[in-house]
Amino acid sequence: MDGILLGLETALQPGNILICLLGVTLGTAVGVLPGIGPTATVALLLPITFEFDPVASLIMLAGIYYGAQYGGSTTAILLNLPGESSSVVTALDGHQMAKQGRAGPALATAALGSFFAGTVATVVLAMFAPPLADLALKFGPADFFSIVVLGLIASIALASGSTVKALAMIVLGLLLGTIGQDQFTGVPRFTFGVRELYGGLDFVSLAVGLFGLAEIIRNLESRHSTELVTRKVQGLWLTRDDFRRIRMPVLRGTALGSALGVLPGGGHVLASFTSYSLEKKLSKEPKKFGTGVIEGVAAPESANNAAAQTSFIPLLSLGLPTHPVMALLVGAFIIQGITPGPNVINDEPELVWGLIASMWVGNLLLVLLNLPLIGIWVRMLTVPYNVLFPAIIAFASIGCYSIGLNAWDVFAIAGAGLLGYFLIRWGCEAAPLLLGFVLGPLLEENLRRAMIISRGDPSVFVTRPISASLLLLAAIIIVVAVLPSVRKKREVVFQGEDD
């Protein structure tokens, strides 16, 4: 309770409320643009937060994240263009509702379901993050090495597409993370005499290029004419029958999302697909799903937003990102001079509890902001994309340059953007690459520290009970993931992303 009161005291400061409002507004504004999505939105807007103090910076980034998720549902409903994979399911019934003249109730359902799920999941976050952090303080270097391995393996198993390609992306990310000076000896590695690489690849430039610029190039290449179903959204308030129909789907979606959000890799995607499948199985008329039933919007949106909040649990308690956006937040922690991990809750209580409490504020602001201003977001969808993308690239480049006043960072955006584009063309996901890049130094540090403590004896990883259990779990996950029956189910779950 002391932590929650401290968080509310921090989050309700006028300056932090304004920062949170700015975050959710920017997140919604950029997230509503077709084809960008929350990950690219956070990557593009990341540089503007570095001038703030750590608390304000992370409150704003979190606001950008769930604001962009809401913006993605608006695009999915009105244009049938999901901002990211977790919005694919929302588009199935949401767009059909819009075609039937019920765009208002569909958007209201998405907003109210997201608000309820986000509020409940934030309570779950406040309950479970501190005790998990206390448990993590008992971990040694070998245990941390094993838990990072488990996280990387789980992200491979939950990634869409080929398991081999996901593994290759993890390895590539780990290799890119070794560029720069050795953290134990200070010897430059893989710098090829380029002084700008002595500090390693710039995280912000890599993230903006891989997700922001690559997504823009892909959208320009595959740009097809889209038409708004309605240019004026009316009837935003739900009827009594609508409230009755969405009540249980929202509750079930919230519970599923809260549980699955902590899974590395695609927990939020799995949550939205699973909740939709569950509602379809429980429905008396399953054949109506896909034709514009309101339950098909309420369940996945609730699950998606609950998962978005609980994905902060591994980040705040263990310092492990379970999602590309969480990896971006790890980068933000480091740039602000804070080492993410179990000590953060004890060392920076104002930051952690302020961030948690700001999620309640942010979810409330999203409802108050989005429903009355839906007309503005609809008008944004009419702006030609070829007018928007140069401005987006220019602001992202200026933001990255302003961090270190180094032109090399702008060139790095271009290089990472081309790499991200070719990865998309080859059917590879950039998310495992970014997770590998962020977790690589942590993996190497704990591996070498454990080997130093054990005097070079590798058996330390299997003789410590916690480490051995985590490695065994990782082995089971990778074996299960490659089983033919499981692989087929994964393809069925994620096939909507390719569509």
Side-chain angles (χ1 to χ4, degrees), residues 97-368:
M97 287 181 67
K99 279 186 171 181
Q100 297 163 14
R102 302 198 69 214
L107 291 167
T109 299
L112 296 175
S114 299
F115 170 71
F116 177 80
T119 302
V120 172
T122 304
V123 174
V124 175
L125 169 62
M127 289 172 59
F128 286 97
L132 192 58
D134 290 339
L135 176 63
L137 289 173
K138 300 176 183 178
F139 285 16
D143 304 321
F144 265 111
F145 169 83
S146 299
I147 200 169
V148 173
V149 169
L150 174 62
L152 292 174
I153 293 296
S155 70
I156 293 170
L158 291 172
S160 61
S162 167
T163 303
V164 175
K165 288 181 179 178
L167 178 60
M169 290 300 97
I170 288 283
V171 173
L172 179 58
L174 292 173
L175 291 174
L176 292 176
T178 62
I179 295 174
Q181 290 179 300
D182 185 291
Q183 52 188 312
F184 283 82
T185 64
V187 176
R189 302 182 300 186
F190 309 114
T191 58
F192 304 103
V194 179
R195 188 168 296 277
E196 286 83 359
L197 289 178
Y198 277 32
L201 286 175
D202 182 67
F203 170 79
V204 180
S205 299
L206 184 67
V208 170
L210 280 177
F211 291 100
L213 186 56
E215 196 67 26
I216 288 171
I217 297 172
R218 186 183 70 84
N219 287 335
L220 289 174
E221 182 187 52
S222 61
R223 197 80 186 135
H224 55 276
S225 59
T226 56
E227 188 173 342
L228 274 174
V229 173
T230 176
R231 293 179 180 276
K232 189 173 183 181
V233 178
Q234 295 177 328
L236 282 171
W237 196 244
L238 300 177
T239 64
R240 181 173 295 183
D241 183 58
D242 288 335
F243 275 114
R244 179 186 61 79
R245 290 173 60 186
I246 71 170
R247 185 174 65 244
M248 292 311 297
V250 166
L251 289 173
R252 285 189 287 263
T254 301
L256 268 174
S258 298
L260 296 177
V262 298
L263 295 178
H268 62 303
V269 181
L270 197 62
S272 60
F273 275 87
T274 304
S275 64
Y276 187 84
S277 300
L278 178 63
E279 293 308 317
K280 193 173 181 179
K281 287 182 180 179
L282 294 176
S283 175
K284 296 178 181 179
E285 299 176 301
K287 291 184 179 179
K288 284 192 173 182
F289 276 73
T291 63
V293 294
I294 198 167
E295 294 91 334
V297 177
E301 275 301 300
S302 301
N304 179 24
N305 282 273
Q309 309 293 77
T310 56
S311 62
F312 280 85
I313 292 176
L315 173 70
L316 295 178
S317 58
L318 301 172
L320 294 177
T322 58
H323 181 271
V325 174
M326 297 301 108
L328 293 170
L329 289 175
V330 168
F333 269 103
I334 294 170
I335 291 171
Q336 292 285 355
I338 298 168
T339 303
N343 288 315
V344 170
I345 291 181
N346 293 326
D347 295 346
E348 303 282 348
E350 184 180 359
L351 183 147
V352 172
W353 289 106
L355 177 61
I356 292 172
S358 76
M359 294 177 188
W360 283 314
V361 178
N363 277 289
L364 179 60
L365 289 174
L366 272 175
V367 175
L368 299 177

Side-chain angles (χ1 to χ4, degrees), residues 13-47:
Q13 291 176 9
N16 287 336
I17 293 177
L18 187 61
I19 286 291
C20 188
L21 176 62
L22 181 61
V24 296
T25 305
L26 283 173
T28 304
V30 181
V32 82
L33 299 177
I36 293 184
T39 304
T41 301
V42 175
L44 289 167
L45 297 177
L46 185 63

